[in-house]
Amino acid sequence: MPLVSVPKLTFAQKLKRFFMIDLLKGLGVTLKFNVGALTDKDAVAGKGIYTEQYPKVRPDVAPRFHGAPRLNMDPETHETLCIACNLCALACPEDCIDVIPMDVEVVVAGKPRRKKVLDEFIFDTSRCMFCALCQEACPTYCLELTQDFELATYSRAGFVWNREMLEQGRETVKYEA
Amino acid sequence: MHQVEIATTQQTVLDSPVMTLNMGPQHPSTHGVLRVILKLDGETVIDLDCDIGYLHRGMEKIAENRTYTMIAPYWDRLDYIAAVSNGLVWVETVEQMMGLDVPRRAHYIRTILTELNRIASHLLWLGTHALDIGAVTILLWAFREREEILKIFERQFGARLTCHAWRVGGMPNDSYDDFEQDVRRFIGNIAGRLDEYETVLSENRIWLSRTVGVGVISGADAIAIGLSGPALRGSGVAWDIRKARPYAAYADVDFDVPLGDNGDTYDRYLVRMEEMRQSRRIIQQAIDNLPDGPVNAKVPKLIKPPIGDYYHSIEGPKGEIGCYLVSDGTQQPWRMRVRPPCFMNLQALKKLCIGHLVADVVAIIGTLDIVLGEIDR
Ligand code: SF4
Ligand code: SF4
């Protein structure tokens, strides 16, 4: 059984230990931060306190963040941008997207035509790994992963978002600062 | 540096029956769901066995049913602390198999961000390792610095931990507007912060008595077991894939490979601390010479590497992380195999722990810097 023998200290090292130089140096560094936290005028913005005061202060999420999914709508007509092409569902490694199209009759240049439009859109956020491959596959910039990050629900079924939720977004409680 | 001698004794210290003790899988110091079955004589470990596989997700099998584009996010979930370097192995393997010519700017940005990831990974290791040994402050400080890196990742990739950072042939987006400024600010801060950690730890008597001479492994043994990364270099073996087989932009930057002398926990600590400083040097050079230009190569619509097999590996924060890929010419790989650094490093646990106390097992698990997501895959 190997046992390890730790080396003998030199006299200088012993002296340092006796006067607790090693511990005092460390304490000096920690003390610097304590003093900083206590004396800074605005400790949160300054150097002292680094904790984010979530949920009272909401974090500033980066524009590229991959959060809750959203189906974008045309800002003027308020019609969905989705053309039901199914590319997002094909791009997803986890199969969490179901695009359900329907055929509608439209009149194009006076003639009746059949057109495939979006009927329902199912997005399973419980299996999604927020890799954004679906967002990259979408040709119309319809499906987007937004900056919303609060996705918790009380039930498993709540993780499956339908078209309405994807278009309107989800209500989350906002706390006052 | 301290000299360490190992003496062997056949005598058990206490004449007591051998006790079997389960450590984990829910033990906070096993860094995940690792179960260690300890055979104890009093407090001394005389034998141990690791039980792994609690986090097995069958990644390698899943990859056989996904296209090459789809596999990339799964790589982030191996070693989630170092998702950016893991992602790099995968895309570089596919790129080299297909013979894609990745633009220089992409290589440089990849270098910068993987080195940032190395610092983030080492910071998490430092924080948790120190916490296991009993220094709580370091954890908070290390996470403060790591937060800055994660902010850069969030702005660049859109995610903090499992970034899905790279695409085959380049990057999903060019660097964001303030990228250079953020990186420069970070590398400006980190040097002083590392000095602070060292002031608190390196000479601290508790830290020394918990790490010096604990978990000693010689260079020859380390090679025989298959250790890589800081665990190998702590034993004085100069092996770094960034130097041996440069990838990304490592051929263009100048850095040193820190080595330990004794192969104990303290040396591995010093090696990792110095590695963070070297990473800072690499980032500094890369950001100073960041070339302009595109970040994506011309990639065919369908990614189909030619029939054959290929192995590529990089120096991840934990060690050599590699990918062995067999392609049958279709859109999905025929076989994908991960060369896991933590899995190999964990093998050394038994050798390192025997003869030490139970409390040292925690220190040794910490010094090996394992992530169970990658061990179990
Ligand atoms: S983010 Fe990734 S996992 Fe989630 S739905 Fe899109 S492609 Fe699928
Ligand atoms: S890829 Fe875009 S347009 Fe096509 S079905 Fe998906 S959300 Fe709709």
Side-chain angles (χ1 to χ4, degrees):
Chain A
M1 210 187 328
L3 289 176
V4 172
S5 61
V6 177
K8 286 259 171 345
L9 297 173
T10 62
F11 182 68
Q13 281 171 326
K14 271 187 185 158
L15 212 62
K16 266 189 172 174
R17 285 218 174 174
F18 182 75
F19 288 109
M20 299 203 285
I21 303 291
D22 53 335
L23 295 182
L24 289 176
K25 262 167 96 184
L27 273 177
V29 180
T30 31
L31 206 64
K32 196 181 83 190
F33 284 104
N34 288 351
V35 172
L38 291 175
T39 54
D40 264 6
K41 261 206 212 78
D42 188 355
V44 178
K47 284 266 179 294
I49 296 173
Y50 286 80
T51 317
E52 280 183 11
Q53 304 299 314
Y54 179 79
K56 291 198 169 158
V57 181
R58 297 180 69 78
D60 199 7
V61 180
R64 284 182 191 172
F65 190 74
H66 302 159
R70 180 175 69 202
L71 284 179
N72 288 332
M73 293 191 278
D74 191 320
E76 279 154 28
T77 58
H78 288 285
E79 277 178 20
T80 180
L81 286 172
C82 180
I83 52 172
C85 65
N86 207 32
L87 284 179
C88 50
L90 292 175
C92 176
E94 279 297 319
D95 272 343
C96 17
I97 299 177
D98 254 333
V99 182
I100 301 159
M102 67 176 171
D103 283 343
V104 290
E105 303 270 341
V106 286
V107 180
V108 179
K111 287 180 193 157
R113 285 268 174 82
R114 312 211 72 178
K115 194 183 161 203
K116 198 163 79 168
V117 296
L118 181 70
D119 180 22
E120 183 58 283
F121 198 106
I122 309 289
F123 192 111
D124 187 350
T125 54
S126 67
R127 298 183 55 190
C128 177
M129 50 185 176
F130 302 99
C131 62
L133 280 172
C134 51
Q135 175 182 313
E136 281 164 33
C138 181
T140 58
Y141 303 103
C142 172
L143 186 60
E144 189 187 333
L145 298 179
T146 58
Q147 281 82 34
D148 292 340
F149 52 88
E150 287 156 322
L151 293 164
T153 63
Y154 286 105
S155 67
R156 286 201 158 204
F159 282 115
V160 182
W161 290 29
N162 60 14
R163 182 179 171 181
E164 194 193 332
M165 271 171 93
L166 287 164
E167 284 178 349
Q168 312 299 337
R170 227 169 52 118
E171 287 272 309
T172 46
V173 186
K174 303 273 191 294
Y175 292 87
E176 309 258 304
Chain B
M1 200 104 2
H2 301 264
Q3 282 300 317
V4 173
E5 283 167 20
I6 299 178
T8 48
T9 158
Q10 304 300 321
Q11 224 66 48
T12 51
V13 182
L14 285 172
D15 196 15
S16 59
V18 173
M19 180 172 70
T20 309
L21 183 77
N22 271 312
M23 194 171 168
Q26 293 103 343
H27 194 282
S29 294
T30 54
H31 293 206
V33 274
L34 168 68
R35 175 170 165 228
V36 187
I37 306 155
L38 299 166
K39 293 251 165 37
L40 302 175
D41 168 31
E43 279 251 21
T44 316
V45 178
I46 52 173
D47 194 9
L48 69 77
D49 208 1
C50 290
D51 189 7
I52 59 170
Y54 292 93
L55 219 55
H56 180 64
R57 291 149 293 175
M59 293 276 193
E60 292 174 3
K61 191 68 191 167
I62 289 174
E64 290 168 21
N65 302 311
R66 301 283 188 271
T67 67
Y68 287 92
T69 331
M70 288 179 183
I71 295 167
Y74 290 95
W75 274 79
D76 295 355
R77 280 140 184 95
L78 293 172
D79 176 358
Y80 34 81
I81 311 296
V84 178
S85 5
N86 285 9
L88 189 65
V89 191
W90 170 248
V91 291
E92 286 207 337
T93 311
V94 180
E95 280 160 7
Q96 294 182 5
M97 216 171 167
M98 294 174 70
L100 291 177
D101 208 6
V102 180
R104 272 187 80 218
R105 183 175 170 85
H107 275 324
Y108 270 74
I109 297 180
R110 282 177 177 184
T111 309
I112 294 168
L113 287 159
T114 38
E115 284 308 316
L116 280 177
N117 198 189
R118 185 185 313 279
I119 298 181
S121 167
H122 282 358
L123 283 173
L124 189 116
W125 157 81
L126 178 71
T128 50
H129 186 38
L131 183 71
D132 289 347
I133 292 180
V136 183
T137 319
I138 300 295
L139 176 83
L140 305 172
W141 289 355
F143 269 63
R144 177 190 64 194
E145 265 69 85
R146 187 166 165 269
E147 180 68 24
E148 284 183 40
I149 300 177
L150 296 189
K151 282 256 165 66
I152 296 177
F153 286 174
E154 184 185 319
R155 288 187 193 135
Q156 173 64 24
F157 305 128
R160 290 158 56 89
L161 205 61
T162 47
C163 302
H164 192 203
W166 321 114
R167 305 291 185 273
V168 174
M171 306 172 52
N173 299 306
D174 203 340
S175 60
Y176 63 94
D177 292 343
D178 296 336
F179 175 70
E180 282 193 36
Q181 194 191 322
D182 281 0
V183 172
R184 277 181 207 282
R185 194 178 52 228
F186 174 75
I187 56 177
N189 285 341
I190 189 74
R193 299 277 162 84
L194 289 174
D195 290 342
E196 277 172 9
Y197 304 151
E198 293 232 44
T199 318
V200 175
L201 290 181
S202 292
E203 285 173 27
N204 186 295
R205 63 188 71 185
I206 304 166
W207 184 256
L208 286 176
S209 56
R210 289 301 305 272
T211 56
V212 175
V214 172
V216 184
I217 189 161
S218 69
D221 282 344
I223 295 173
I225 287 179
L227 293 189
S228 57
L232 177 67
R233 292 192 284 274
S235 302
V237 183
W239 173 250
D240 189 322
I241 298 169
R242 291 176 293 173
K243 285 274 191 214
R245 293 194 297 264
Y247 52 94
Y250 286 105
D252 306 351
V253 292
D254 182 31
F255 64 98
D256 299 326
V257 178
L259 296 177
D261 294 334
N262 305 323
D264 61 357
T265 304
Y266 187 66
D267 275 15
R268 284 187 284 271
Y269 154 75
L270 291 179
V271 165
R272 289 203 178 91
M273 294 306 280
E274 186 54 33
E275 255 182 33
M276 284 196 254
R277 296 208 169 84
Q278 295 300 330
S279 291
R280 182 184 166 272
R281 253 178 91 193
I282 296 172
I283 298 167
Q284 181 81 59
Q285 292 168 49
I287 199 103
D288 285 344
N289 302 324
L290 190 64
D292 283 333
V295 289
N296 272 305
K298 276 215 161 51
V299 186
K301 258 244 147 70
L302 291 179
I303 295 173
K304 285 186 190 171
I307 298 172
D309 59 345
Y310 197 83
Y311 178 75
H312 176 64
S313 63
I314 70 168
E315 184 72 34
K318 317 257 161 33
E320 171 181 356
I321 176 148
C323 172
Y324 176 67
L325 194 59
V326 184
S327 162
D328 55 358
T330 58
Q331 281 189 59
Q332 296 166 346
W334 189 78
R335 174 82 168 92
M336 184 191 88
R337 153 96 185 137
V338 184
R339 191 266 181 220
C342 300
F343 181 73
M344 309 269 185
N345 289 357
L346 185 64
Q347 291 184 92
L349 187 66
K350 183 170 176 174
K351 190 161 184 56
L352 295 181
C353 284
I354 288 180
H356 287 298
L357 303 178
V358 180
D360 293 331
V361 175
V362 168
I364 292 168
I365 292 174
T367 187
L368 287 174
D369 194 13
I370 51 167
V371 165
L372 269 294
E374 183 214 72
I375 291 169
D376 298 340
R377 295 198 293 293

